[in-house]
Amino acid sequence: MTDLAARLRRLRGQAGMAGGAAAPAPRLPADLSRLLAVRRSTPARQRSVTNTPTGLGSELAPGLWLAEATTDWPSVPLPFDASFAKIPERIDPADMLFLDTETTGLAGGTGTRAFMIGVARWHGARFVLSQLTITALAGEAAMLEQLRAWITPATVLGTYNGKSYDAPLLNTRFRLERMSSPLQGLRHIDLLHPVRRRWRAHWPNCKLATTERQLLGVVREDDLPGSQAPAAWLRFLRAGDPTDLYRVLKHNAQDLRSLAGVLSHMVALDQTAGGFTPCGGALGHLSDN
């Protein structure tokens, strides 16, 4: 009986029951232990970017940042004839909203989203740039709401290829967020089309970079091409490195200034009956060089 009782106590101890010594925890191989430790320290649901991207401005909402800048730049004369854009009525520059997006891809469709929306508008003799950037997918709804707040029924969009790309993409994002799109029904000056009509036979292409160089004398230095913008945003999300994302912000800001410059140039051409009239000293600050 003594041997049986001892064996029972030993079995109880191994099973963790009272009355026996607790069995030692099994020891994991060193390599497996290190692997598990790494994975447990940063579970997927807790991973986040630890640095604060102050170069993107101020945080409006979780995952949404706003950068703003203001420049002395008087608008084109009030109002101006928009017949070059096939808009019959005259346009008040105060109603112009220049818009440019940076997106996760160039294919469009429901899988593509805008991670940065830049707008610019004239307030009297001041030109105001506002750029929204999302640093988390959850910030998209707040970004779209802010864009909606900048638009009124009188707004006239100014874009470059925006009728074919930016506006349809944003309309899709509004629809996926179950919001009505404020872009529907707005007057829209897509500057790509009048530029093509006037200069496609004279230039190698009518990309914005070519147009701003030919018409405004803008030569960009250290510019991050738009095709690299998606990788810059993903690098920030995955590794927290904002270096190239700041370059995307700079690229987007130059796009917006160039949109306003090209519009000013087109208006000046119309006012001089087809003559070549540069837009004056206001464009000198547009170049990054």
PDB file of all heavy atoms in Angstrom, residues 154-185:
ATOM      1  N   ALA A 154     -21.355  76.292 -55.977  1.00  0.00           N
ATOM      2  CA  ALA A 154     -20.734  77.244 -56.903  1.00  0.00           C
ATOM      3  C   ALA A 154     -19.288  76.870 -57.257  1.00  0.00           C
ATOM      4  O   ALA A 154     -18.678  77.495 -58.137  1.00  0.00           O
ATOM      5  CB  ALA A 154     -20.761  78.650 -56.302  1.00  0.00           C
ATOM      6  N   THR A 155     -18.740  75.877 -56.595  1.00  0.00           N
ATOM      7  CA  THR A 155     -17.349  75.501 -56.811  1.00  0.00           C
ATOM      8  C   THR A 155     -17.108  75.083 -58.260  1.00  0.00           C
ATOM      9  O   THR A 155     -17.912  74.383 -58.865  1.00  0.00           O
ATOM     10  CB  THR A 155     -16.957  74.348 -55.870  1.00  0.00           C
ATOM     11  OG1 THR A 155     -17.018  74.811 -54.517  1.00  0.00           O
ATOM     12  CG2 THR A 155     -15.552  73.847 -56.156  1.00  0.00           C
ATOM     13  N   VAL A 156     -15.952  75.523 -58.787  1.00  0.00           N
ATOM     14  CA  VAL A 156     -15.492  75.091 -60.105  1.00  0.00           C
ATOM     15  C   VAL A 156     -14.196  74.320 -59.895  1.00  0.00           C
ATOM     16  O   VAL A 156     -13.223  74.868 -59.385  1.00  0.00           O
ATOM     17  CB  VAL A 156     -15.240  76.284 -61.045  1.00  0.00           C
ATOM     18  CG1 VAL A 156     -14.817  75.785 -62.433  1.00  0.00           C
ATOM     19  CG2 VAL A 156     -16.473  77.162 -61.141  1.00  0.00           C
ATOM     20  N   LEU A 157     -14.184  73.043 -60.243  1.00  0.00           N
ATOM     21  CA  LEU A 157     -12.980  72.231 -60.080  1.00  0.00           C
ATOM     22  C   LEU A 157     -11.955  72.593 -61.138  1.00  0.00           C
ATOM     23  O   LEU A 157     -12.294  72.786 -62.313  1.00  0.00           O
ATOM     24  CB  LEU A 157     -13.310  70.743 -60.196  1.00  0.00           C
ATOM     25  CG  LEU A 157     -14.054  70.077 -59.050  1.00  0.00           C
ATOM     26  CD1 LEU A 157     -14.220  68.587 -59.349  1.00  0.00           C
ATOM     27  CD2 LEU A 157     -13.341  70.277 -57.726  1.00  0.00           C
ATOM     28  N   GLY A 158     -10.697  72.646 -60.726  1.00  0.00           N
ATOM     29  CA  GLY A 158      -9.587  72.813 -61.652  1.00  0.00           C
ATOM     30  C   GLY A 158      -8.638  71.642 -61.474  1.00  0.00           C
ATOM     31  O   GLY A 158      -8.092  71.440 -60.387  1.00  0.00           O
ATOM     32  N   THR A 159      -8.475  70.831 -62.517  1.00  0.00           N
ATOM     33  CA  THR A 159      -7.636  69.634 -62.430  1.00  0.00           C
ATOM     34  C   THR A 159      -6.805  69.470 -63.700  1.00  0.00           C
ATOM     35  O   THR A 159      -6.941  70.254 -64.649  1.00  0.00           O
ATOM     36  CB  THR A 159      -8.494  68.361 -62.251  1.00  0.00           C
ATOM     37  OG1 THR A 159      -9.235  68.127 -63.457  1.00  0.00           O
ATOM     38  CG2 THR A 159      -9.445  68.486 -61.076  1.00  0.00           C
ATOM     39  N   TYR A 160      -5.993  68.449 -63.703  1.00  0.00           N
ATOM     40  CA  TYR A 160      -5.256  68.052 -64.899  1.00  0.00           C
ATOM     41  C   TYR A 160      -5.491  66.558 -65.077  1.00  0.00           C
ATOM     42  O   TYR A 160      -4.975  65.748 -64.316  1.00  0.00           O
ATOM     43  CB  TYR A 160      -3.757  68.361 -64.748  1.00  0.00           C
ATOM     44  CG  TYR A 160      -3.051  68.566 -66.074  1.00  0.00           C
ATOM     45  CD1 TYR A 160      -3.020  69.823 -66.676  1.00  0.00           C
ATOM     46  CD2 TYR A 160      -2.435  67.509 -66.734  1.00  0.00           C
ATOM     47  CE1 TYR A 160      -2.391  70.030 -67.892  1.00  0.00           C
ATOM     48  CE2 TYR A 160      -1.807  67.707 -67.952  1.00  0.00           C
ATOM     49  CZ  TYR A 160      -1.788  68.968 -68.526  1.00  0.00           C
ATOM     50  OH  TYR A 160      -1.163  69.164 -69.756  1.00  0.00           O
ATOM     51  N   ASN A 161      -6.330  66.216 -66.041  1.00  0.00           N
ATOM     52  CA  ASN A 161      -6.825  64.851 -66.263  1.00  0.00           C
ATOM     53  C   ASN A 161      -7.768  64.406 -65.150  1.00  0.00           C
ATOM     54  O   ASN A 161      -8.010  63.217 -64.960  1.00  0.00           O
ATOM     55  CB  ASN A 161      -5.668  63.848 -66.398  1.00  0.00           C
ATOM     56  CG  ASN A 161      -6.097  62.545 -67.051  1.00  0.00           C
ATOM     57  OD1 ASN A 161      -6.952  62.540 -67.932  1.00  0.00           O
ATOM     58  ND2 ASN A 161      -5.521  61.433 -66.612  1.00  0.00           N
ATOM     59  N   GLY A 162      -8.331  65.356 -64.444  1.00  0.00           N
ATOM     60  CA  GLY A 162      -9.213  65.025 -63.331  1.00  0.00           C
ATOM     61  C   GLY A 162     -10.559  64.471 -63.746  1.00  0.00           C
ATOM     62  O   GLY A 162     -11.176  63.720 -62.990  1.00  0.00           O
ATOM     63  N   LYS A 163     -11.036  64.835 -64.949  1.00  0.00           N
ATOM     64  CA  LYS A 163     -12.321  64.296 -65.386  1.00  0.00           C
ATOM     65  C   LYS A 163     -12.244  62.790 -65.614  1.00  0.00           C
ATOM     66  O   LYS A 163     -13.233  62.079 -65.406  1.00  0.00           O
ATOM     67  CB  LYS A 163     -12.769  64.982 -66.685  1.00  0.00           C
ATOM     68  CG  LYS A 163     -13.307  66.388 -66.481  1.00  0.00           C
ATOM     69  CD  LYS A 163     -13.864  66.946 -67.782  1.00  0.00           C
ATOM     70  CE  LYS A 163     -14.466  68.326 -67.569  1.00  0.00           C
ATOM     71  NZ  LYS A 163     -15.011  68.886 -68.843  1.00  0.00           N
ATOM     72  N   SER A 164     -11.077  62.321 -66.032  1.00  0.00           N
ATOM     73  CA  SER A 164     -10.915  60.893 -66.315  1.00  0.00           C
ATOM     74  C   SER A 164     -10.382  60.104 -65.126  1.00  0.00           C
ATOM     75  O   SER A 164     -10.585  58.891 -65.060  1.00  0.00           O
ATOM     76  CB  SER A 164      -9.967  60.700 -67.513  1.00  0.00           C
ATOM     77  OG  SER A 164     -10.488  61.300 -68.671  1.00  0.00           O
ATOM     78  N   TYR A 165      -9.689  60.794 -64.193  1.00  0.00           N
ATOM     79  CA  TYR A 165      -9.051  60.027 -63.106  1.00  0.00           C
ATOM     80  C   TYR A 165      -9.480  60.490 -61.715  1.00  0.00           C
ATOM     81  O   TYR A 165     -10.139  59.741 -60.991  1.00  0.00           O
ATOM     82  CB  TYR A 165      -7.525  60.110 -63.239  1.00  0.00           C
ATOM     83  CG  TYR A 165      -6.823  59.220 -62.241  1.00  0.00           C
ATOM     84  CD1 TYR A 165      -6.809  57.837 -62.411  1.00  0.00           C
ATOM     85  CD2 TYR A 165      -6.210  59.748 -61.104  1.00  0.00           C
ATOM     86  CE1 TYR A 165      -6.199  57.008 -61.487  1.00  0.00           C
ATOM     87  CE2 TYR A 165      -5.601  58.927 -60.178  1.00  0.00           C
ATOM     88  CZ  TYR A 165      -5.598  57.560 -60.366  1.00  0.00           C
ATOM     89  OH  TYR A 165      -5.000  56.739 -59.444  1.00  0.00           O
ATOM     90  N   ASP A 166      -9.106  61.700 -61.310  1.00  0.00           N
ATOM     91  CA  ASP A 166      -9.311  62.112 -59.913  1.00  0.00           C
ATOM     92  C   ASP A 166     -10.780  62.108 -59.508  1.00  0.00           C
ATOM     93  O   ASP A 166     -11.142  61.559 -58.459  1.00  0.00           O
ATOM     94  CB  ASP A 166      -8.721  63.511 -59.677  1.00  0.00           C
ATOM     95  CG  ASP A 166      -7.247  63.574 -59.993  1.00  0.00           C
ATOM     96  OD1 ASP A 166      -6.908  63.720 -61.181  1.00  0.00           O
ATOM     97  OD2 ASP A 166      -6.431  63.472 -59.062  1.00  0.00           O
ATOM     98  N   ALA A 167     -11.633  62.741 -60.326  1.00  0.00           N
ATOM     99  CA  ALA A 167     -13.049  62.833 -59.951  1.00  0.00           C
ATOM    100  C   ALA A 167     -13.725  61.470 -59.907  1.00  0.00           C
ATOM    101  O   ALA A 167     -14.417  61.155 -58.925  1.00  0.00           O
ATOM    102  CB  ALA A 167     -13.781  63.778 -60.900  1.00  0.00           C
ATOM    103  N   PRO A 168     -13.571  60.604 -60.928  1.00  0.00           N
ATOM    104  CA  PRO A 168     -14.190  59.280 -60.826  1.00  0.00           C
ATOM    105  C   PRO A 168     -13.689  58.471 -59.635  1.00  0.00           C
ATOM    106  O   PRO A 168     -14.458  57.763 -58.984  1.00  0.00           O
ATOM    107  CB  PRO A 168     -13.818  58.604 -62.157  1.00  0.00           C
ATOM    108  CG  PRO A 168     -13.571  59.732 -63.098  1.00  0.00           C
ATOM    109  CD  PRO A 168     -12.980  60.821 -62.270  1.00  0.00           C
ATOM    110  N   LEU A 169     -12.381  58.572 -59.348  1.00  0.00           N
ATOM    111  CA  LEU A 169     -11.841  57.822 -58.212  1.00  0.00           C
ATOM    112  C   LEU A 169     -12.468  58.296 -56.904  1.00  0.00           C
ATOM    113  O   LEU A 169     -12.885  57.488 -56.067  1.00  0.00           O
ATOM    114  CB  LEU A 169     -10.320  57.983 -58.165  1.00  0.00           C
ATOM    115  CG  LEU A 169      -9.572  57.183 -57.098  1.00  0.00           C
ATOM    116  CD1 LEU A 169      -8.213  56.734 -57.626  1.00  0.00           C
ATOM    117  CD2 LEU A 169      -9.362  58.007 -55.821  1.00  0.00           C
ATOM    118  N   LEU A 170     -12.559  59.619 -56.722  1.00  0.00           N
ATOM    119  CA  LEU A 170     -13.146  60.144 -55.493  1.00  0.00           C
ATOM    120  C   LEU A 170     -14.639  59.833 -55.413  1.00  0.00           C
ATOM    121  O   LEU A 170     -15.154  59.536 -54.326  1.00  0.00           O
ATOM    122  CB  LEU A 170     -12.898  61.650 -55.398  1.00  0.00           C
ATOM    123  CG  LEU A 170     -11.444  62.061 -55.139  1.00  0.00           C
ATOM    124  CD1 LEU A 170     -11.286  63.568 -55.233  1.00  0.00           C
ATOM    125  CD2 LEU A 170     -10.957  61.550 -53.788  1.00  0.00           C
ATOM    126  N   ASN A 171     -15.329  59.886 -56.552  1.00  0.00           N
ATOM    127  CA  ASN A 171     -16.751  59.507 -56.540  1.00  0.00           C
ATOM    128  C   ASN A 171     -16.918  58.067 -56.048  1.00  0.00           C
ATOM    129  O   ASN A 171     -17.842  57.756 -55.290  1.00  0.00           O
ATOM    130  CB  ASN A 171     -17.340  59.643 -57.939  1.00  0.00           C
ATOM    131  CG  ASN A 171     -17.582  61.090 -58.327  1.00  0.00           C
ATOM    132  OD1 ASN A 171     -17.766  61.951 -57.463  1.00  0.00           O
ATOM    133  ND2 ASN A 171     -17.584  61.368 -59.621  1.00  0.00           N
ATOM    134  N   THR A 172     -16.008  57.190 -56.475  1.00  0.00           N
ATOM    135  CA  THR A 172     -16.059  55.790 -56.030  1.00  0.00           C
ATOM    136  C   THR A 172     -15.808  55.677 -54.540  1.00  0.00           C
ATOM    137  O   THR A 172     -16.507  54.932 -53.831  1.00  0.00           O
ATOM    138  CB  THR A 172     -15.030  54.947 -56.793  1.00  0.00           C
ATOM    139  OG1 THR A 172     -15.351  54.957 -58.189  1.00  0.00           O
ATOM    140  CG2 THR A 172     -15.006  53.505 -56.292  1.00  0.00           C
ATOM    141  N   ARG A 173     -14.829  56.441 -54.025  1.00  0.00           N
ATOM    142  CA  ARG A 173     -14.518  56.367 -52.589  1.00  0.00           C
ATOM    143  C   ARG A 173     -15.703  56.894 -51.761  1.00  0.00           C
ATOM    144  O   ARG A 173     -16.027  56.333 -50.704  1.00  0.00           O
ATOM    145  CB  ARG A 173     -13.255  57.167 -52.254  1.00  0.00           C
ATOM    146  CG  ARG A 173     -11.987  56.737 -52.977  1.00  0.00           C
ATOM    147  CD  ARG A 173     -11.770  55.249 -53.046  1.00  0.00           C
ATOM    148  NE  ARG A 173     -11.775  54.602 -51.741  1.00  0.00           N
ATOM    149  CZ  ARG A 173     -11.652  53.301 -51.572  1.00  0.00           C
ATOM    150  NH1 ARG A 173     -11.536  52.504 -52.628  1.00  0.00           N
ATOM    151  NH2 ARG A 173     -11.649  52.765 -50.365  1.00  0.00           N
ATOM    152  N   PHE A 174     -16.349  57.975 -52.223  1.00  0.00           N
ATOM    153  CA  PHE A 174     -17.540  58.467 -51.524  1.00  0.00           C
ATOM    154  C   PHE A 174     -18.625  57.392 -51.515  1.00  0.00           C
ATOM    155  O   PHE A 174     -19.281  57.152 -50.492  1.00  0.00           O
ATOM    156  CB  PHE A 174     -18.070  59.738 -52.194  1.00  0.00           C
ATOM    157  CG  PHE A 174     -17.414  61.005 -51.732  1.00  0.00           C
ATOM    158  CD1 PHE A 174     -16.529  61.677 -52.552  1.00  0.00           C
ATOM    159  CD2 PHE A 174     -17.691  61.526 -50.476  1.00  0.00           C
ATOM    160  CE1 PHE A 174     -15.917  62.859 -52.139  1.00  0.00           C
ATOM    161  CE2 PHE A 174     -17.090  62.704 -50.045  1.00  0.00           C
ATOM    162  CZ  PHE A 174     -16.197  63.372 -50.884  1.00  0.00           C
ATOM    163  N   ARG A 175     -18.810  56.751 -52.659  1.00  0.00           N
ATOM    164  CA  ARG A 175     -19.856  55.728 -52.746  1.00  0.00           C
ATOM    165  C   ARG A 175     -19.559  54.563 -51.817  1.00  0.00           C
ATOM    166  O   ARG A 175     -20.469  54.046 -51.134  1.00  0.00           O
ATOM    167  CB  ARG A 175     -19.972  55.247 -54.199  1.00  0.00           C
ATOM    168  CG  ARG A 175     -21.137  54.296 -54.451  1.00  0.00           C
ATOM    169  CD  ARG A 175     -21.461  54.202 -55.929  1.00  0.00           C
ATOM    170  NE  ARG A 175     -20.307  53.861 -56.741  1.00  0.00           N
ATOM    171  CZ  ARG A 175     -19.699  54.696 -57.576  1.00  0.00           C
ATOM    172  NH1 ARG A 175     -20.135  55.943 -57.698  1.00  0.00           N
ATOM    173  NH2 ARG A 175     -18.666  54.301 -58.301  1.00  0.00           N
ATOM    174  N   LEU A 176     -18.305  54.122 -51.738  1.00  0.00           N
ATOM    175  CA  LEU A 176     -17.948  53.006 -50.869  1.00  0.00           C
ATOM    176  C   LEU A 176     -18.106  53.358 -49.393  1.00  0.00           C
ATOM    177  O   LEU A 176     -18.328  52.477 -48.557  1.00  0.00           O
ATOM    178  CB  LEU A 176     -16.515  52.552 -51.156  1.00  0.00           C
ATOM    179  CG  LEU A 176     -16.295  51.871 -52.511  1.00  0.00           C
ATOM    180  CD1 LEU A 176     -14.811  51.588 -52.744  1.00  0.00           C
ATOM    181  CD2 LEU A 176     -17.100  50.578 -52.612  1.00  0.00           C
ATOM    182  N   GLU A 177     -17.960  54.646 -49.082  1.00  0.00           N
ATOM    183  CA  GLU A 177     -18.174  55.111 -47.701  1.00  0.00           C
ATOM    184  C   GLU A 177     -19.636  55.450 -47.434  1.00  0.00           C
ATOM    185  O   GLU A 177     -19.976  55.966 -46.376  1.00  0.00           O
ATOM    186  CB  GLU A 177     -17.296  56.328 -47.406  1.00  0.00           C
ATOM    187  CG  GLU A 177     -15.811  56.028 -47.299  1.00  0.00           C
ATOM    188  CD  GLU A 177     -15.455  55.260 -46.036  1.00  0.00           C
ATOM    189  OE1 GLU A 177     -16.299  55.211 -45.104  1.00  0.00           O
ATOM    190  OE2 GLU A 177     -14.355  54.700 -45.978  1.00  0.00           O
ATOM    191  N   ARG A 178     -20.503  55.182 -48.439  1.00  0.00           N
ATOM    192  CA  ARG A 178     -21.935  55.456 -48.330  1.00  0.00           C
ATOM    193  C   ARG A 178     -22.207  56.934 -48.089  1.00  0.00           C
ATOM    194  O   ARG A 178     -23.059  57.316 -47.287  1.00  0.00           O
ATOM    195  CB  ARG A 178     -22.579  54.588 -47.254  1.00  0.00           C
ATOM    196  CG  ARG A 178     -22.437  53.095 -47.542  1.00  0.00           C
ATOM    197  CD  ARG A 178     -23.219  52.253 -46.580  1.00  0.00           C
ATOM    198  NE  ARG A 178     -23.117  50.828 -46.945  1.00  0.00           N
ATOM    199  CZ  ARG A 178     -23.772  49.846 -46.331  1.00  0.00           C
ATOM    200  NH1 ARG A 178     -24.586  50.134 -45.309  1.00  0.00           N
ATOM    201  NH2 ARG A 178     -23.640  48.596 -46.719  1.00  0.00           N
ATOM    202  N   MET A 179     -21.454  57.781 -48.801  1.00  0.00           N
ATOM    203  CA  MET A 179     -21.658  59.222 -48.768  1.00  0.00           C
ATOM    204  C   MET A 179     -22.019  59.692 -50.174  1.00  0.00           C
ATOM    205  O   MET A 179     -21.555  59.122 -51.159  1.00  0.00           O
ATOM    206  CB  MET A 179     -20.378  59.958 -48.333  1.00  0.00           C
ATOM    207  CG  MET A 179     -19.800  59.570 -47.004  1.00  0.00           C
ATOM    208  SD  MET A 179     -18.281  60.534 -46.721  1.00  0.00           S
ATOM    209  CE  MET A 179     -17.641  59.713 -45.261  1.00  0.00           C
ATOM    210  N   SER A 180     -22.824  60.738 -50.251  1.00  0.00           N
ATOM    211  CA  SER A 180     -23.072  61.353 -51.549  1.00  0.00           C
ATOM    212  C   SER A 180     -21.846  62.173 -51.938  1.00  0.00           C
ATOM    213  O   SER A 180     -21.231  62.828 -51.098  1.00  0.00           O
ATOM    214  CB  SER A 180     -24.313  62.235 -51.496  1.00  0.00           C
ATOM    215  OG  SER A 180     -24.134  63.266 -50.538  1.00  0.00           O
ATOM    216  N   SER A 181     -21.484  62.134 -53.200  1.00  0.00           N
ATOM    217  CA  SER A 181     -20.288  62.840 -53.649  1.00  0.00           C
ATOM    218  C   SER A 181     -20.601  64.299 -53.940  1.00  0.00           C
ATOM    219  O   SER A 181     -21.510  64.596 -54.731  1.00  0.00           O
ATOM    220  CB  SER A 181     -19.718  62.187 -54.901  1.00  0.00           C
ATOM    221  OG  SER A 181     -18.636  62.965 -55.403  1.00  0.00           O
ATOM    222  N   PRO A 182     -19.856  65.235 -53.348  1.00  0.00           N
ATOM    223  CA  PRO A 182     -20.078  66.660 -53.633  1.00  0.00           C
ATOM    224  C   PRO A 182     -19.533  67.070 -54.994  1.00  0.00           C
ATOM    225  O   PRO A 182     -19.740  68.203 -55.425  1.00  0.00           O
ATOM    226  CB  PRO A 182     -19.325  67.351 -52.497  1.00  0.00           C
ATOM    227  CG  PRO A 182     -18.206  66.412 -52.178  1.00  0.00           C
ATOM    228  CD  PRO A 182     -18.767  65.033 -52.371  1.00  0.00           C
ATOM    229  N   LEU A 183     -18.809  66.164 -55.673  1.00  0.00           N
ATOM    230  CA  LEU A 183     -18.227  66.495 -56.972  1.00  0.00           C
ATOM    231  C   LEU A 183     -19.238  66.387 -58.110  1.00  0.00           C
ATOM    232  O   LEU A 183     -19.023  66.948 -59.189  1.00  0.00           O
ATOM    233  CB  LEU A 183     -17.042  65.566 -57.266  1.00  0.00           C
ATOM    234  CG  LEU A 183     -15.944  65.497 -56.209  1.00  0.00           C
ATOM    235  CD1 LEU A 183     -14.858  64.518 -56.636  1.00  0.00           C
ATOM    236  CD2 LEU A 183     -15.344  66.868 -55.957  1.00  0.00           C
ATOM    237  N   GLN A 184     -20.308  65.660 -57.875  1.00  0.00           N
ATOM    238  CA  GLN A 184     -21.297  65.447 -58.922  1.00  0.00           C
ATOM    239  C   GLN A 184     -21.964  66.769 -59.302  1.00  0.00           C
ATOM    240  O   GLN A 184     -22.432  67.513 -58.450  1.00  0.00           O
ATOM    241  CB  GLN A 184     -22.369  64.453 -58.445  1.00  0.00           C
ATOM    242  CG  GLN A 184     -21.836  63.073 -58.096  1.00  0.00           C
ATOM    243  CD  GLN A 184     -21.561  62.231 -59.336  1.00  0.00           C
ATOM    244  OE1 GLN A 184     -21.726  62.700 -60.465  1.00  0.00           O
ATOM    245  NE2 GLN A 184     -21.175  60.986 -59.136  1.00  0.00           N
ATOM    246  N   GLY A 185     -22.000  67.048 -60.603  1.00  0.00           N
ATOM    247  CA  GLY A 185     -22.700  68.226 -61.094  1.00  0.00           C
ATOM    248  C   GLY A 185     -21.910  69.518 -61.048  1.00  0.00           C
ATOM    249  O   GLY A 185     -22.421  70.562 -61.466  1.00  0.00           O
TER     250      GLY A 185
END
